[in-house]
Amino acid sequence: MFLKPFKMRSTHQLNKTERRELKKFCIKSFPLISDCNFYEDWITRKDRVTICKLLTYGGEFVNAYLVNQVPLFFEYDEQLFPTVYFLWRHPDALLYFTTHSQVVRKLQNGADLMLPGLCPEIYSSLSIATFERGTKLFVNTSNNKAAVAVGVTADSASVLRSCKVGKCAIIYHSFDDFLCKINNMPTSPIPQLGQSQLPIPSLQMLQPVLEEPNTQSTSNETPTSPNEEANIKAMDDLLLRCLLVAMKFTKDIKIPMLVSTFCNTYIKEACPAADIKKSSYGRITAFLQKCAKDELISLSKKGHIYVITEFNYDHQLVKEFEYNSEQEPKISVPTQEKPKSMTVRDVYFITQPVLPLFQKMGMRPGTAVSVPQIDEAIKDYLKTHNLALQGNQLDFSAIDITDFIKSLLPKEGIILTYLDLKKRILDRMTKGHTLKIGDVETTKKGELEPIKITTAFRSNKCVTLVNNAEQYTINLLTLAKECQIGKATGAKVNPGVRPSIGNELQLQGNQITFLKNLLTSKYGVPENCIVSSQKKKYYVKFSSDVLHE
């Protein structure tokens, strides 16, 4: 399979959810390993796990799993196979056939393992071995237990023991092929693990040993509550209901139809409440495979793409189905908490120069007062000194000027407008702000800058930058996760330009509209506290005359 060069279609790093799925796949695929923690020994949290989608020379699609650039597994025909690198660490993971060292070169050249190539002890032990056709195995030599090739059995043990010639193993992967050299990685030498154990281990004898680690691995799973189980069953019924409604009441369904097209048209748009991830299937392909098994539809697989080729309108479920809106499965949706209201208000701290203005109110320096309180204090002070407004102006020539009023008057005259007087008083006070979220109110000195959402270009790609969000008590890690889920985009937190404004959130693409709606609807940030701007990309054009010169 990997004897000739292959094409790498795509590659990406696995996230936490995909790593958990890979762990379950490994434990299920290698039941002969008695140690259920073998996955943690190989893959730690700091290791980088990458999946590479390959197209082989023969036109077959294969998924290769790399840990720190080392290939450990490959997925073919919905089965997970180990590479020779993994089997060198766990030689008891699979059934194995032992051959002569002279046969290894032929296996590396693309040949399958034949019955005459088995060691005499291995051939004689077929009488006690129990395995079926297509059982995963690896091949080693009589003088070394280390794996040199990986494949499946060509037939069952009962058939092979009655034959003397023919294939006994179909080889998919061998040492020193192009899978071992993926990403131009140097090939490691074969380790010496000692002689092979004869005869062949029987799968039937090893089966009782497998029950204990399997139960241990499943005991760590959190049990589902009755309410969750009811929701899962209701979601399964709703998906089946969507399929039956599409089959019975939709005219002229064009087939063949892609599975993704069916999901978008007849599930997501027709019934927004249906969520395939909250069902027991988890994926739309698993649900449709179950329907194909029940003979409701017919599925075909082209490469790695599933296609619906036929609907069985004569099925009993389709004939007996009748649409009734009252019979729709009811799914209990958890009530979401309403976002707490957020208000931002400007305040000013009393300083020593303006203390005479607030002494009657019993306030001290350092007390935060709002703008309406300042207006009330100014008017009360003017009333106390018998100073009345004449239109919009204040004439201080008719009263005795106090030291406080004298400090506020301009040098060129003693006539002021009320707004000028108020501005001169505010200039002598320290500006601050009050942030109230729900019932919690915090007051700080300094002006609260708005949340700035801008676009920029990094490595010739558009990104969205969010600054000042932490000043509004918004957790950037939580906000980044919500953006990743809501827009399926990459997000990361960078150090801010200034420590006073906090860190910076960076998102891939232009996400200004999404961020505005998220901040106002969920976090309750006032719209006047959000400022956005887009940066355009400019190209420099040269005339043809300049290029010719």
Side-chain angles (χ1 to χ4, degrees):
M1 184 179 295
F2 305 105
L3 184 64
K4 295 183 178 181
F6 49 77
K7 295 181 179 179
M8 187 177 299
R9 286 298 182 91
S10 64
T11 176
H12 78 276
Q13 189 173 349
L14 299 187
N15 55 29
K16 292 182 180 180
T17 304
E18 292 172 333
R19 289 167 73 107
R20 286 196 296 266
E21 293 297 328
L22 178 60
K23 178 181 179 180
K24 295 179 182 178
F25 201 6
C26 291
I27 296 175
K28 181 181 178 181
S29 302
F30 311 123
L32 291 180
I33 301 179
S34 59
D35 184 11
C36 61
N37 295 323
F38 73 95
Y39 182 88
E40 285 79 1
D41 296 339
W42 270 89
I43 305 175
T44 62
R45 293 182 179 179
K46 297 182 180 179
D47 291 333
R48 181 181 179 183
V49 185
T50 310
I51 179 174
C52 301
K53 295 185 178 181
L54 312 176
L55 178 61
T56 62
Y57 186 82
E60 298 165 326
F61 289 93
V62 181
N63 294 334
Y65 295 93
L66 281 64
V67 179
N68 298 329
Q69 302 300 322
V70 179
L72 294 187
F73 315 101
F74 66 93
E75 183 182 359
Y76 172 67
D77 197 16
E78 299 183 355
Q79 295 188 70
L80 190 66
F81 291 86
T83 63
V84 291
Y85 295 129
F86 178 84
L87 292 170
W88 291 347
R89 179 73 176 270
H90 295 281
D92 298 328
L94 298 178
L95 173 77
Y96 60 85
F97 282 173
T98 304
T99 184
H100 305 284
S101 57
Q102 295 84 356
V103 183
V104 176
R105 178 56 58 185
K106 295 184 178 180
L107 298 180
Q108 293 177 345
N109 291 334
D112 293 328
L113 183 62
M114 313 299 286
L115 279 171
L118 293 177
C119 292
E121 297 85 354
I122 295 293
Y123 183 78
S124 61
S125 65
L126 289 174
S127 58
I128 63 172
T130 56
F131 54 83
E132 299 297 329
R133 181 177 182 178
T135 303
K136 291 179 285 189
L137 59 80
F138 70 92
V139 181
N140 56 19
T141 58
S142 56
N143 56 359
N144 192 0
K145 193 178 180 178
V148 294
V150 179
V152 294
T153 55
D155 222 318
S156 62
S158 58
V159 176
L160 291 179
R161 75 171 62 103
S162 62
C163 301
K164 294 185 179 180
V165 293
K167 294 181 181 180
C168 62
I170 301 174
I171 303 302
Y172 290 161
H173 156 62
S174 61
F175 172 72
D176 203 23
D177 61 2
F178 281 93
L179 181 60
C180 295
K181 302 174 184 177
I182 191 171
N183 295 329
N184 298 323
M185 191 187 70
T187 306
S188 303
I190 301 177
Q192 185 65 34
L193 302 181
Q195 294 184 352
S196 302
Q197 180 183 358
L198 300 176
I200 299 176
S202 173
L203 297 182
Q204 186 176 2
M205 291 187 295
L206 290 175
Q207 189 62 31
V209 183
L210 306 180
E211 296 177 358
E212 183 177 356
N214 286 341
T215 55
Q216 291 178 356
S217 61
T218 57
S219 62
N220 295 330
E221 298 179 359
T222 56
T224 58
S225 62
N227 189 21
E228 292 178 354
E229 292 179 357
N231 284 343
I232 292 174
K233 186 179 183 305
M235 190 62 69
D236 294 345
D237 296 339
L238 186 60
L239 292 175
L240 180 60
R241 186 181 181 86
C242 292
L243 175 63
L244 295 176
V245 168
M247 292 177 61
K248 194 165 185 177
F249 299 103
T250 305
K251 297 181 180 179
D252 300 331
I253 299 181
K254 297 181 180 180
I255 53 175
M257 178 187 295
L258 294 175
V259 168
S260 58
T261 304
F262 175 81
C263 180
N264 294 330
T265 306
Y266 298 102
I267 293 183
K268 291 183 179 180
E269 292 185 4
C271 185
D275 190 353
I276 190 68
K277 294 182 179 180
K278 295 181 180 179
S279 65
S280 61
Y281 303 104
R283 298 180 301 168
I284 186 63
T285 53
F287 165 67
L288 294 178
Q289 285 174 352
K290 174 67 168 52
C291 296
K293 188 176 180 180
D294 296 339
E295 299 181 353
L296 266 171
I297 61 174
S298 297
L299 278 180
S300 66
K301 187 177 181 181
K302 296 181 179 180
H304 61 286
I305 300 175
Y306 285 90
V307 180
I308 301 176
T309 57
E310 185 181 357
F311 292 100
N312 186 8
Y313 295 99
D314 297 330
H315 198 277
Q316 186 177 0
L317 288 177
V318 181
K319 293 180 178 180
E320 296 178 354
F321 177 74
E322 295 181 0
Y323 180 78
N324 187 359
S325 60
E326 297 180 355
Q327 295 180 355
E328 289 187 3
K330 296 183 179 180
I331 302 171
S332 61
V333 180
T335 58
Q336 297 182 353
E337 295 183 359
K338 295 183 179 180
K340 297 181 180 179
S341 60
M342 181 185 297
T343 56
V344 180
R345 183 165 49 94
D346 291 336
V347 295
Y348 289 85
F349 291 88
I350 299 175
T351 57
Q352 194 67 34
V354 298
L355 183 59
L357 193 65
F358 301 96
Q359 279 181 344
K360 189 176 180 180
M361 303 174 66
M363 296 183 180
R364 298 180 178 179
T367 306
V369 291
S370 61
V371 176
Q373 289 177 323
I374 297 175
D375 289 330
E376 182 182 354
I378 294 175
K379 293 178 181 179
D380 186 64
Y381 188 87
L382 295 177
K383 185 178 180 181
T384 304
H385 291 78
N386 299 320
L387 182 60
L389 287 170
Q390 297 178 1
N392 194 27
Q393 293 182 348
L394 295 171
D395 189 2
F396 294 95
S397 60
I399 64 170
D400 296 333
I401 300 177
T402 61
D403 294 336
F404 171 68
I405 295 178
K406 189 176 180 179
S407 64
L408 298 176
L409 294 177
K411 295 181 180 180
E412 59 273 7
I414 57 176
I415 298 177
L416 282 178
T417 63
Y418 180 78
L419 294 179
D420 290 339
L421 178 64
K422 182 180 176 180
K423 183 178 181 302
R424 290 175 179 274
I425 293 174
L426 294 180
D427 290 341
R428 286 163 172 77
M429 302 178 70
T430 304
K431 191 174 182 179
H433 67 272
T434 298
L435 179 64
K436 185 177 181 181
I437 304 176
D439 298 332
V440 181
E441 183 174 306
T442 56
T443 302
K444 295 181 180 179
K445 292 183 178 181
E447 186 176 359
L448 182 62
E449 298 182 9
I451 298 177
K452 296 180 181 179
I453 306 176
T454 58
T455 57
F457 289 91
R458 300 286 187 270
S459 301
N460 206 24
K461 293 182 179 180
C462 180
V463 295
T464 304
L465 305 177
V466 183
N467 291 287
N468 304 330
E470 288 185 337
Q471 294 187 6
Y472 293 80
T473 67
I474 296 176
N475 190 343
L476 289 186
L477 295 178
T478 305
L479 182 61
K481 187 175 181 180
E482 292 171 349
C483 295
Q484 288 175 336
I485 297 174
K487 295 295 290 184
T489 184
K492 66 177 182 177
V493 179
N494 301 326
V497 181
R498 302 193 311 270
S500 59
I501 64 174
N503 295 325
E504 178 187 68
L505 176 63
Q506 177 178 326
L507 304 174
Q508 293 181 359
N510 188 344
Q511 312 296 344
I512 291 180
T513 305
F514 174 78
L515 281 168
K516 278 186 176 180
N517 296 333
L518 181 63
L519 292 173
T520 54
S521 61
K522 183 170 183 178
Y523 291 92
V525 180
E527 293 185 0
N528 59 348
C529 295
I530 302 176
V531 178
S532 62
S533 62
Q534 298 186 21
K535 184 178 180 180
K536 296 183 179 180
K537 191 173 183 179
Y538 297 96
Y539 296 91
V540 179
K541 295 183 178 180
F542 297 94
S543 62
S544 58
D545 298 336
V546 175
L547 294 177
H548 285 304
E549 290 178 2

